[in-house]
Amino acid sequence: MWNIHARRQRKTSLLQRYGDQLGHLATRELTEQALIAAKQEAEQSAKAARESMKTAEAASRAKTEFLANMSHELRTPLNAIIGFSEVIHNELLGPTAETPRYRTYAKDINDAGAHLLAVINDILDIAKIESGELGLDTNIFDSSKSIRACIQMLNEQAESSGLQALRFDHDGSIVLDADEKKFRQIVINLISNSIKFTLEEGCVSVETGITEDGRFRMVVADTGIGIEPENIAKALEPFTQVDSTLARKFEGTGLGLPITKALVELHDGTLEITSEVGVGTRVIIHFPAERVAKTEVDA
């Protein structure tokens, strides 16, 4: 009887030891899995931190380049304004009333002032956009009339650039419920950008219409120098320029396209760019159907 009891105790003791060992193994397995999971999470966090640091460094470099370009962009017209105004003020070329050349200098001063105003307006616009302070003041207007007015304003720029044509094609008058001032800014930015990057004898065209799903569609196309596909996203980023060197051929703040994209998106629209180097660029914008108030087909 005693032997049976002893055997039972030994068996119970063995089972308990086996249970304890299995418990230790299970605990160790869970600990190892937890350590592996923690290690993976730490590696992912470190990778995310490295990516964030790279993004921050890229943004910092872009803003540094932007500020360097702005100092150049502002200094050039300021030097012209100061230099030409001093010549006129001190009558270095003779009495003001007797020297026709002063009129040319006065025009140069006016042009430089207009350029400065445009640069400052771009900087103020992008600051408002980034701070979320830019809103819409909507009204009902004829998009075709607005586009024609913008083209008329830019005809002189097109002629001085030696463009062969600046065309506007449309199926009829499309009345929009949008912010007309910002719509004109979109049109002017896109057309002037196309003129700027289109060589002599080239062509810039604007086309409007309504898509099958009722959206407003505008295409600004040119036969200009084009953009490398990998640089299209870069061209739409604020403070970033496709060619950021001070010796670049085409001057400007590089804020035109980012501002235009932001103004389109403010209307719940979309902006898309397709381009081929040496062939030209097409910028396509869409406003949602809710922005279309009326469409009148020309007879």
Side-chain angles (χ1 to χ4, degrees):
M1 193 72 181
W2 181 86
N3 287 336
I4 293 172
H5 181 68
R7 282 200 298 273
R8 283 178 178 172
Q9 281 187 327
R10 284 198 299 271
K11 188 175 181 182
T12 301
S13 179
L14 284 171
L15 287 172
Q16 187 174 355
R17 286 203 301 272
Y18 288 149
D20 290 344
Q21 287 176 357
L22 287 172
H24 290 317
L25 287 172
T27 303
R28 188 169 67 183
E29 179 68 23
L30 289 172
T31 303
E32 288 177 354
Q33 287 178 359
L35 287 171
I36 291 169
K39 183 181 177 183
Q40 288 174 343
E41 188 176 345
E43 288 174 350
Q44 287 174 356
S45 298
K47 184 180 178 182
R50 286 195 298 270
E51 291 299 324
S52 296
M53 188 176 293
K54 285 180 183 177
T55 303
E57 287 173 352
S60 177
R61 282 196 303 272
K63 289 196 176 184
T64 301
E65 288 178 355
F66 173 78
L67 290 173
N69 289 331
M70 282 307 93
S71 66
H72 171 75
E73 199 72 31
L74 295 170
R75 190 182 296 118
T76 302
L78 273 174
N79 285 337
I81 289 169
I82 293 166
F84 288 131
S85 61
E86 281 181 352
V87 170
I88 295 173
H89 176 70
N90 297 319
E91 296 187 325
L92 297 180
L93 299 177
T96 306
E98 300 173 8
T99 311
R101 194 183 298 178
Y102 287 142
R103 291 185 181 179
T104 305
Y105 291 165
K107 184 181 182 305
D108 290 338
I109 291 171
N110 183 267
D111 290 345
H115 176 73
L116 274 179
L117 181 61
V119 170
I120 291 165
N121 282 339
D122 280 353
I123 294 170
L124 292 175
D125 282 346
I126 206 70
K128 285 181 183 177
I129 288 165
E130 291 207 329
S131 64
E133 293 178 4
L134 203 63
L136 292 178
D137 182 13
T138 60
N139 58 298
I140 306 294
F141 64 93
D142 187 332
S143 62
S144 299
K145 287 182 180 177
S146 287
I147 293 169
R148 286 195 194 97
C150 294
I151 288 174
Q152 190 172 355
M153 286 173 56
L154 296 168
N155 268 330
E156 188 178 341
Q157 182 188 347
E159 288 173 8
S160 354
S161 298
L163 250 65
Q164 187 179 31
L166 174 54
R167 297 196 306 264
F168 176 37
D169 301 317
H170 61 99
D171 296 331
S173 294
I174 302 169
V175 178
L176 297 177
D177 181 6
D179 188 321
E180 185 174 11
K181 184 179 177 182
K182 290 180 176 59
F183 177 77
R184 289 193 181 205
Q185 189 176 354
I186 290 168
V187 176
I188 289 170
N189 282 356
L190 292 179
I191 296 176
S192 61
N193 211 51
S194 286
I195 293 172
K196 179 179 174 182
F197 293 103
T198 300
L199 305 178
E200 287 188 15
E201 298 302 315
C203 177
V204 173
S205 65
V206 184
E207 177 189 336
T208 59
I210 299 293
T211 62
E212 290 182 359
D213 56 358
R215 292 180 298 160
F216 170 77
R217 181 175 185 264
M218 181 174 74
V219 181
V220 179
D222 63 58
T223 57
I225 60 174
I227 309 171
E228 295 279 359
E230 61 270 21
N231 283 331
I232 290 176
K234 187 178 178 182
L236 291 168
E237 287 294 321
F239 309 112
T240 304
Q241 292 178 310
V242 174
D243 180 6
S244 60
T245 62
L246 294 182
R248 64 191 187 279
K249 182 177 178 181
F250 303 99
E251 299 293 338
T253 63
L255 293 176
L257 280 176
I259 289 172
T260 302
K261 181 174 181 286
L263 293 178
V264 171
E265 290 174 349
L266 201 60
H267 286 85
D268 301 315
T270 60
L271 182 148
E272 176 190 354
I273 298 177
T274 58
S275 188
E276 187 176 345
V277 174
V279 176
T281 301
R282 284 167 57 87
V283 182
I284 305 160
I285 72 164
H286 287 100
F287 278 8
E290 294 77 18
R291 293 285 177 195
V292 180
K294 187 171 58 173
T295 306
E296 297 176 353
V297 179
D298 288 344

